[in-house]
Amino acid sequence: MEIQQFQVQPYQQAQNQALKSYHPIPMVFSKAKDVHVWDPEGRKYLDFLSAYSAVNQGHCHEKILNALSQQAQQLTLSSRAFHNDKFPIFAQHLTSMFGYEMILPMNTGAEGVETALKLARKWGYEKKHIPKNEVIVPPKGYLQSVRELCSKYNVLMIADEIQTGIGRTGKLLACEWESVRPDVVILGKALGGGVLPVSAVLADKDIMLCIKPGEHGSTFGGNPLASAVAIAALEIVEEEKLAERAAEMGQVFRSQFLDIQKAYPHIIKEVRGQGLLNAVELNAKGLSTVSAFDICQSLKERGVLAKPTHGTIIRFSPPLTIRLKDLTEASKAFKDVLEHDLANMQRQSEGNDPHSPPEPCDRCGRIK
């Protein structure tokens, strides 16, 4: 079958042929390096989304690409039916780095969640003798309260650290901010350094060994190519002290945006976050008929890429390698949008209905 050469814009082509499960900013990535992205026309942008934390180490990190290239020329897949010489190194590095006894490798974050839930059910059947198909949901609360409740009632605490882990919040795991050690941790995204999908579930032997051989499999889980890339990705986090950097740069980011909030208190409702996972919540009344998506569109024109979530909230989560000058450039761009662009956007959107039903978040589907 001959592949047709489409003349239509890439994002228009994607809309025609792919399910619209996201609401993307109309901008096409052509090249990326560290914290910068270029479109096909050669325009340079600061990336403040970093593929939802998949590129904590920065786009196309040389060490990760070298690991990928070298391993791809030797061995890419063995399946779990055989051993390979890279997975044991990856397993040892990951368990020692995060302080757990065992690892179950998967490929994507979604697989990691599925695996953790399966593990929790198996543990419940074997360790607590829970009848199968019974669902027990622990009470909601703060992480420390959840830990205490789970320990008190012998319920597994599972932490989904797919986006928040591997240095994003200024600690290796976000749970560490409350000195909490979950029973099960799910990792993904930055584990593959933005190069390959890699995920893993971490737990100690008493939990992990509830799954017996033949009860759970992943053909590509722990493959040598992914293992080599993951080893490099973890080493970068350690060698470049990315968690510490995220904590430091995150404080700078929030300080700069809090200064902007003081100048525009009717527009910015709240600036919040931890490390380099931050959000700016806008005041819907102050925005009038302008949306957070419109603000992101205007930011894009000023060379900064960010994404709205839940209607009036803009997420800012750049690669952890970002520098002070980049943060300053981004905060200036945001201030310029409010100072120079917002009034014009409000005039242009005067005919829009400010009370129209909000669109669901393209990450979680929740409507706020």
Side-chain angles (χ1 to χ4, degrees), residues 27-63:
M27 180 269 176
V28 177
F29 281 33
S30 179
K31 184 178 74 170
K33 184 66 178 174
D34 198 19
V35 300
H36 293 104
V37 175
W38 288 261
D39 63 19
E41 289 72 41
R43 185 171 180 191
K44 185 179 180 182
Y45 301 83
L46 274 170
D47 180 7
F48 266 76
L49 192 63
S50 60
Y52 295 107
S53 298
V55 286
N56 283 2
Q57 299 88 344
H59 287 280
C60 300
H61 195 291
E62 184 177 357
K63 180 168 183 171

Side-chain angles (χ1 to χ4, degrees), residues 51-356:
Y52 295 107
S53 298
V55 286
N56 283 2
Q57 299 88 344
H59 287 280
C60 300
H61 195 291
E62 184 177 357
K63 180 168 183 171
I64 294 174
L65 293 183
N66 286 339
L68 174 71
S69 176
Q70 291 172 15
Q71 187 61 45
Q73 296 177 59
Q74 293 181 208
L75 176 68
T76 59
L77 184 63
S78 60
S79 87
R80 294 304 301 280
F82 303 95
H83 297 290
N84 69 71
D85 60 356
K86 276 291 181 284
F87 174 62
I89 303 171
F90 166 45
Q92 194 280 328
H93 198 139
L94 191 68
T95 52
S96 63
M97 186 170 174
F98 289 93
Y100 283 83
E101 294 174 352
M102 299 192 80
I103 168 185
L104 179 52
M106 303 303 293
N107 301 289
T108 66
E111 281 185 89
V113 172
E114 178 187 346
T115 302
L117 293 175
K118 183 175 182 178
L119 182 59
R121 287 197 300 270
K122 288 285 293 179
W123 176 84
Y125 302 153
E126 291 194 13
K127 303 293 182 178
K128 295 184 65 179
H129 308 292
I130 297 172
K132 291 192 176 184
N133 300 323
E134 182 178 346
V135 178
I136 298 176
V137 181
K140 293 182 179 180
Y142 295 103
L143 289 177
Q144 191 64 53
S145 299
V146 171
R147 176 68 278 175
E148 291 169 2
L149 283 168
C150 289
S151 298
K152 180 179 179 180
Y153 294 106
N154 198 23
V155 173
L156 288 183
M157 180 180 179
I158 302 174
D160 179 349
E161 294 263 9
I162 294 167
Q163 288 196 49
T164 56
I166 314 184
R168 168 58 57 183
T169 68
K171 300 277 189 182
L172 279 179
L173 297 175
C175 290
E176 293 177 12
W177 284 106
E178 294 189 30
S179 300
V180 165
R181 188 180 189 269
D183 300 299
V184 180
V185 173
I186 313 167
L187 295 175
K189 292 192 182 293
L191 198 54
V195 171
L196 284 177
V198 184
S199 68
V201 174
L202 289 166
D204 290 335
K205 292 178 181 178
D206 183 59
I207 298 169
M208 190 71 84
L209 293 179
C210 289
I211 291 183
K212 306 299 188 296
E215 293 183 343
H216 188 83
S218 173
T219 300
F220 282 83
N223 72 76
L225 195 60
S227 295
V229 166
I231 292 165
L234 292 172
E235 287 177 347
I236 289 165
V237 172
E238 293 177 307
E239 293 167 0
E240 300 186 13
K241 300 187 183 303
L242 293 188
E244 296 85 344
R245 186 179 185 84
E248 180 184 351
M249 292 293 102
Q251 288 183 339
V252 173
F253 175 91
R254 289 185 292 279
S255 175
Q256 291 179 348
F257 274 72
L258 285 169
D259 286 343
I260 300 174
Q261 183 187 29
K262 291 176 184 176
Y264 298 93
H266 60 297
I267 300 296
I268 300 178
K269 183 178 179 180
E270 185 181 11
V271 176
R272 58 179 181 268
Q274 194 78 53
L276 280 172
L277 182 60
N278 293 282
V280 175
E281 184 169 358
L282 304 174
N283 190 319
K285 186 175 180 180
L287 287 178
S288 184
T289 53
V290 172
S291 68
F293 190 86
D294 296 327
I295 298 293
C296 289
Q297 291 260 48
S298 194
L299 274 174
K300 183 203 76 169
E301 297 304 316
R302 292 183 177 275
V304 175
L305 302 176
K307 196 71 166 50
T309 178
H310 301 142
T312 57
I313 303 169
I314 300 177
R315 171 196 179 107
F316 291 91
S317 54
L320 309 186
T321 53
I322 196 162
R323 294 168 288 275
L324 176 59
K325 67 181 183 66
D326 299 320
L327 288 178
T328 302
E329 181 182 338
S331 62
K332 181 181 184 303
F334 190 84
K335 184 176 181 181
D336 287 346
V337 167
L338 300 187
E339 184 175 343
H340 302 295
D341 303 344
L342 182 57
N344 186 47
M345 287 191 289
Q346 288 172 331
R347 284 192 296 270
Q348 291 178 348
S349 63
E350 280 179 355
N352 296 341
D353 180 8
H355 304 294
S356 59

Side-chain angles (χ1 to χ4, degrees), residues 1-17:
M1 179 180 176
E2 192 173 312
I3 300 175
Q4 296 180 353
Q5 297 297 317
F6 291 94
Q7 299 302 315
V8 69
Q9 290 282 358
Y11 58 84
Q12 292 174 328
Q13 181 179 332
Q15 285 182 332
N16 293 336
Q17 297 177 320

